[in-house]
């Protein structure tokens, strides 16, 4: 159909030389124009990356122009909404695809894990069945060894406790033994055994007193026993009491005054080296004093044939020391079978002097031949 010409100066006003067009033809044209506009809009939208375009201006007159404008806006809005809906649906489909793939893979993983768990449980149950004596035997022996080790560890702990108790007892015994040793030492000091030298003037091994060269025993009325004025026996000790180890008070040989002598026949001939005198301590003396103890004395070695006295030394006894050993001053190179002890004074008693014990030390062999 021929289009009417429009004036370029006024596009919105009515045209003067426009032919009269029927209404049906006019509506068809409007619909065709709307379709063309939508097609053009879709192409523009597809070509411009779905961007929003303003409606183009269409030349129409009056009400027709307004309706066309509204239709254009509506069509463009519809195209924009359809494009956005397509995009949303496309994105939703991508998410669904991703979720489907993920769920598919997750399902596979879950199935694999479940299968592995079932396989492991089945394998463990089969392992219990597959164990035989070659495995159970060493395990049982290992358990037995472990029990034995624990048992032995307990025994070791018990032994350690017993050992500690024994050590404590040994320490107590050592302390007691030290005390006993001290007591024995004190007893030896009292008894005179700490000298630890052979005594050749001991009566039990054969020594004796030469009464011919020994002073008379002191006789006192209190030392005698009478019955109806008849003397029965004498309580005075003989000279050989000094050859015995008994050191009780009163068990001594007494001679009159402060001068006297005693000659001792030794058990055998020896090379003389020392002489020991012993007296009771003041603490156990009945008189409470030591005035009867000998003081100055001289020692002689006696030769049998010819009878001769050999000077061996002069000494002084100190009663504060209950036992004293004297080194001989003269050492003749020969043996002696007898020794004379000649006392020249005591510590103040004018009536008698008491001699408790005398020891004579030496050796059977010459001193130079003695082993070191």
């Amino acid at each position: 159909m021929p289009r009417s010409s429009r004036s370029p100066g006024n596009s919105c006003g009515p045209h003067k030389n426009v032919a009269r067009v029927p209404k049906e033809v006019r509506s068809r044209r409007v619909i065709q124009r709307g379709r063309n506009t939508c097609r053009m809009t879709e192409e523009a939208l597809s070509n411009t990356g779905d961007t929003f375009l303003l409606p183009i201006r269409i030349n129409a007159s009056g009400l027709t122009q307004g309706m066309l404008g509204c239709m254009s806006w509506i069509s463009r809005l519809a195209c924009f909404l359809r494009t956005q809906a397509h995009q949303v649906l496309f994105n939703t489909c991508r998410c669904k695809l991703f979720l489907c793939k993920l769920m598919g893979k997750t399902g596979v993983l879950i199935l694999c894990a479940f299968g592995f768990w079932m396989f492991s449980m089945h394998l463990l149950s089969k392992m219990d069945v597959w164990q035989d004596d070659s495995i159970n035997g060493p395990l049982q022996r290992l358990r037995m060894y472990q029990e034995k080790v624990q048992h032995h560890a307990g025994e070791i702990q018990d032994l350690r406790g017993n050992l500690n108790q024994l050590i404590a007892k040994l320490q107590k015994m050592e302390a007691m033994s030290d005390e006993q040793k001290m007591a024995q030492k004190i007893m030896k000091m009292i008894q005179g055994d700490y000298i630890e030298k052979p005594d050749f003037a001991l009566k039990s091994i054969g020594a004796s007193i030469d009464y011919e060269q020994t002073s008379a025993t002191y006789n006192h009325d209190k030392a005698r026993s009478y019955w109806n004025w008849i003397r029965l026996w004498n309580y005075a000790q003989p000279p050989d009491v000094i050859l015995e180890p008994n050191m009780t008070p009163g068990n001594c040989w007494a001679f009159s005054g402060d001068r006297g002598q005693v000659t001792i026949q030794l058990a055998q001939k020896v090379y003389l080296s020392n002489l020991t005198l012993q007296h009771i301590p003041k603490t156990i003396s009945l008189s409470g004093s030591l005035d009867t103890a000998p003081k100055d004395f001289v020692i002689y070695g006696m030769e049998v044939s010819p009878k001769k006295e050999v000077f061996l030394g002069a000494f002084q006894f100190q009663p504060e020391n209950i036992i004293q050993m004297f080194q001989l001053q003269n050492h003749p190179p020969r043996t002696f079978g007898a020794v004379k002890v000649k006392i020249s004074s005591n510590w103040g008693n004018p009536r008698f002097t008491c001699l408790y014990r005398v020891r004579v030390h030496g050796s059977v062999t010459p001193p130079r031949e003695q082993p070191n």
Side-chain angles (χ1 to χ4, degrees):
M1 294 179 65
R3 297 182 182 180
S4 60
S5 59
R6 297 180 184 179
S7 176
N10 189 3
S11 61
C12 294
H15 297 279
K16 294 180 179 181
N17 297 321
V18 176
R20 302 292 293 181
V21 181
K23 292 182 179 180
E24 292 84 0
V25 176
R26 195 176 298 170
S27 61
R28 290 177 183 175
R29 289 178 181 178
V30 171
I31 293 169
Q32 187 67 30
R33 288 177 181 176
R35 291 177 180 176
N36 293 333
T37 303
C38 290
R39 189 178 295 112
M40 291 173 62
T41 304
E42 289 177 1
E43 292 176 358
L45 290 172
S46 61
N47 292 330
T48 58
D50 297 336
T51 57
F52 182 77
L53 297 177
L54 293 173
I56 61 174
R57 192 172 183 178
I58 301 173
N59 294 324
S61 60
L63 181 61
T64 304
Q65 188 176 359
M67 291 179 65
L68 289 174
C70 291
M71 292 295 293
S72 177
W73 276 100
I74 292 169
S75 62
R76 280 157 176 77
L77 180 62
C79 291
F80 174 75
L81 292 175
R82 187 178 65 178
T83 304
Q84 294 297 324
H86 287 169
Q87 291 181 356
V88 171
L89 290 174
F90 179 73
N91 293 332
T92 305
C93 291
R94 290 179 63 184
C95 292
K96 286 183 179 180
L97 290 174
F98 176 74
L99 291 174
C100 289
K101 292 181 180 180
L102 182 63
M103 289 297 292
K105 293 181 180 180
T106 306
V108 173
L109 291 175
I110 292 172
L111 289 175
C112 291
F114 180 75
F116 179 75
W117 178 72
M118 291 296 293
F119 176 75
S120 62
M121 294 296 292
H122 181 70
L123 184 63
L124 289 175
S125 62
K126 291 296 183 182
M127 288 293 292
D128 294 337
V129 176
W130 292 340
Q131 288 181 352
D132 54 357
D133 295 338
S134 62
I135 299 176
N136 292 330
L139 290 176
Q140 290 178 358
R141 287 194 294 270
L142 183 61
R143 293 192 187 96
M144 291 175 62
Y145 292 151
Q146 186 177 4
E147 292 177 357
K148 288 182 179 180
V149 168
Q150 293 177 355
H151 180 68
H152 292 321
E155 291 182 351
I156 290 172
Q157 292 292 335
D158 296 338
L159 290 175
R160 185 177 296 176
N162 295 331
L163 183 61
N164 292 331
Q165 293 179 0
L166 288 175
I167 290 173
K169 289 181 180 179
L170 286 175
Q171 291 176 353
K172 290 181 180 179
M173 291 176 66
E174 287 178 358
M176 292 176 63
S177 63
D178 293 338
E179 294 177 357
Q180 291 176 356
K181 288 178 181 178
M182 184 62 66
Q184 291 177 0
K185 188 175 180 180
I186 294 172
M187 293 300 296
K188 285 181 179 180
M189 291 178 64
I190 295 174
Q191 297 176 359
D193 294 337
Y194 75 96
I195 297 298
E196 295 181 354
K197 284 182 177 293
D199 182 12
F200 293 94
L202 194 61
K203 184 178 180 180
S204 59
I205 63 174
S208 60
I209 299 295
D210 186 358
Y211 289 94
E212 294 181 358
Q213 301 185 44
T214 300
S215 300
T217 302
Y218 176 70
N219 292 320
H220 192 269
D221 292 339
K222 293 182 179 180
R224 297 173 183 175
S225 178
Y226 293 90
W227 181 74
N228 292 332
W229 302 97
I230 300 173
R231 188 175 67 180
L232 296 178
W233 58 79
N234 192 355
Y235 284 105
Q237 299 292 342
D240 58 359
V241 74
I242 65 174
L243 308 179
E244 298 175 355
N246 189 358
M247 289 296 299
T248 55
N251 191 41
C252 64
W253 173 63
F255 59 88
S256 181
D258 57 354
R259 292 177 178 270
Q261 65 181 20
V262 59
T263 302
I264 303 171
Q265 294 289 339
L266 303 177
Q268 64 183 87
K269 289 185 177 182
V270 295
Y271 293 90
L272 300 177
S273 61
N274 305 85
L275 184 137
T276 301
L277 288 184
Q278 188 172 355
H279 200 81
I280 61 172
K282 184 178 180 179
T283 54
I284 64 173
S285 176
L286 298 179
S287 62
S289 64
L290 300 176
D291 56 354
T292 60
K295 184 178 181 181
D296 298 316
F297 63 97
V298 181
I299 301 173
Y300 296 95
M302 306 298 293
E303 293 183 349
V304 179
S305 56
K307 291 184 178 182
K308 184 180 178 180
E309 298 179 355
V310 179
F311 175 80
L312 299 178
F315 310 96
Q316 187 179 83
F317 179 77
Q318 300 294 330
E320 291 81 9
N321 298 326
I322 61 174
I323 180 170
Q324 298 177 40
M325 185 172 62
F326 303 95
Q327 181 75 29
L328 298 181
Q329 300 170 359
N330 185 18
H331 297 277
R334 56 181 181 273
T335 59
F336 295 95
V339 173
K340 178 185 286 187
V341 180
K342 194 172 184 178
I343 299 170
S344 58
S345 63
N346 63 14
W347 286 93
N349 195 308
R351 294 182 299 167
F352 60 92
T353 302
C354 290
L355 195 61
Y356 274 86
R357 188 177 181 187
V358 179
R359 304 186 193 186
V360 179
H361 311 293
S363 62
V364 179
T365 58
R368 65 182 64 181
E369 296 180 3
Q370 290 182 356
N372 293 330

